[in-house]
Amino acid sequence: MSKKYKYGLVLSGGGTRGFAHLGAIKALEEHNIKPDIISGVSAGSIFGALYADDQSAENALKALIDKNLLGLLEVMVPKNGLLKMTGFEKTLRKSLSARTFEELKIPLYIHAVNINTIEYTRFEKGDLISAIKASSSIPIVFAPVEINGYQYLDGGIINNFPVEPLVDCCETIIGINVNPVGVQHDVRGLKTIAVRAFHLTMRNHARARKEYCDIYIEPEKLEKYGILDISSAEAVFEIGYNKTVEILKQSL
């Protein structure tokens, strides 16, 4: 029995490491692979929305660098989060033509955590910007995002690799995880330990679901880049592109 979609694309969270998603998408298109549906969380929701909005990978890269994706983050008195998404939302509104899921050219699933009900929630219709903000709201760093009376945080808390919605409807699933974790001998200091623990959790979400993917891409060179470093966007883009080209040569 044929499935509804030929290609499904899963995009993990990972902050500004997510620029690797755009590089990967460029490589996929060069190999005549155009996703028919996308499932993304956190950073994956941002870059997935841009692509579903019919923007090329390179144009999306340029637009986000020019507008500064993380610019104008507003410091808050610590209550629900350290930063307010003031500039982030403005950048999204300037970068996206679509305002609702229904306006996107490619179906998109965005995932966030409802912290009132403790449920992993999928958004696929209605307001697009609010869903992206909710999915990208890293705990402590950003305040929760309110949607219809409920508070939402980054979906990566529960599942940073949302492949499940695509399993029964896609002939080929391509998964991109931008949170590699390799060997690090010198692990000292509170920040280093905290960051490594965070990436370990995110990586394991993907590894546990890797078997659902027909093509799995995890660019190991991303490990040295931070998750809120916009200055490395172009380098991260190239890493995603090069790794995807390498994997596709082996897979196709």
Side-chain angles (χ1 to χ4, degrees), residues 70-141:
L70 298 176
L72 303 176
L73 289 175
E74 183 180 338
V75 178
M76 303 173 64
V77 175
K79 182 180 179 183
N80 296 320
L82 298 176
L83 299 171
K84 189 175 180 180
M85 292 181 166
T86 309
F88 177 70
E89 181 174 351
K90 289 180 179 178
T91 297
L92 287 177
R93 293 191 180 281
K94 289 178 181 177
S95 302
L96 290 166
S97 298
R99 289 292 177 266
T100 66
F101 283 85
E102 291 81 357
E103 295 175 80
L104 294 171
K105 302 298 188 292
I106 301 172
L108 173 67
Y109 296 149
I110 287 177
H111 306 267
V113 176
N114 182 325
I115 58 173
N116 297 108
T117 63
I118 317 299
E119 293 178 322
Y120 192 66
T121 304
R122 184 172 86 196
F123 294 95
E124 56 185 290
K125 60 183 179 180
D127 185 73
L128 178 62
I129 304 295
S130 294
I132 295 172
K133 286 174 57 184
S135 184
S136 304
S137 187
I138 302 170
I140 308 302
V141 178

Side-chain angles (χ1 to χ4, degrees), residues 6 8 10 163 166-167 170-175 212-216:
K6 183 174 182 180
V10 185
V163 66
L166 306 186
V167 170
C170 297
E171 294 177 11
T172 300
I173 296 177
I174 303 165
Y212 294 116
C213 298
D214 300 286
I215 300 173
Y216 180 77

Side-chain angles (χ1 to χ4, degrees), residues 155-191:
I157 300 170
I158 291 179
N159 180 0
N160 200 48
F161 194 74
V163 66
E164 288 86 348
L166 306 186
V167 170
D168 294 323
C169 64
C170 297
E171 294 177 11
T172 300
I173 296 177
I174 303 165
I176 305 173
N177 173 41
V178 297
N179 296 287
V181 180
V183 175
Q184 183 174 339
H185 296 289
D186 186 12
V187 182
R188 289 180 292 182
L190 182 60
K191 180 181 177 182

